[in-house]
Amino acid sequence: MTTDNHTDDGPASATDGSPSTNVDASADETTYDCNYCGRPFAREQYRTLHVGLDHHDECTDAEIEAFQDAYSEEGEEIRLFRLKAIGGLVLLYFGFLFTYSIVT
């Protein structure tokens, strides 16, 4: 059995634990590159979150503040998604329950 040790500084892969970034640079899309590692991102918010998480020790105070704002905004979006998901599951459950009670 062999193991693949990923030691170069190439693109991130699924084997090294970091998520891959799929940004099509050949298209006319604007990419937001990290000032520290050069990694491209499709949205500025993604870059801000990356800088705050992966380069926290090197950040300026403005970058840290932008990270905290983006992190709290993302947290609010996640909470809203969770509420919608649980509401959908409750409706689905009771829909099946009522359908079962009518059929039997």
Side-chain angles (χ1 to χ4, degrees):
M1 182 155 115
T2 62
T3 58
D4 182 23
N5 293 331
H6 183 73
T7 58
D8 65 345
D9 291 324
S13 66
T15 59
D16 68 359
S18 62
S20 64
T21 306
N22 296 326
V23 177
D24 187 11
S26 64
D28 291 334
E29 296 180 22
T30 302
T31 61
Y32 300 93
D33 298 335
C34 175
N35 296 331
Y36 301 101
C37 66
R39 186 173 166 189
F41 293 93
R43 295 184 181 172
E44 187 174 8
Q45 182 182 13
Y46 297 161
R47 181 190 59 187
T48 302
L49 291 168
H50 161 76
V51 169
L53 291 171
D54 291 347
H55 307 290
H56 184 73
D57 297 336
E58 307 167 52
C59 289
T60 64
D61 290 338
E63 289 173 330
I64 291 173
E65 185 175 331
F67 165 73
Q68 291 172 343
D69 292 341
Y71 189 80
S72 66
E73 181 180 321
E74 184 180 48
E76 292 172 11
E77 291 173 6
I78 290 172
R79 278 190 290 279
L80 181 60
F81 170 77
R82 287 178 180 165
L83 285 172
K84 288 180 180 179
I86 193 71
L89 288 173
V90 166
L91 288 174
L92 185 66
Y93 172 76
F94 281 108
F96 281 131
L97 183 66
F98 289 139
T99 302
Y100 178 75
S101 67
I102 292 171
V103 172
T104 57

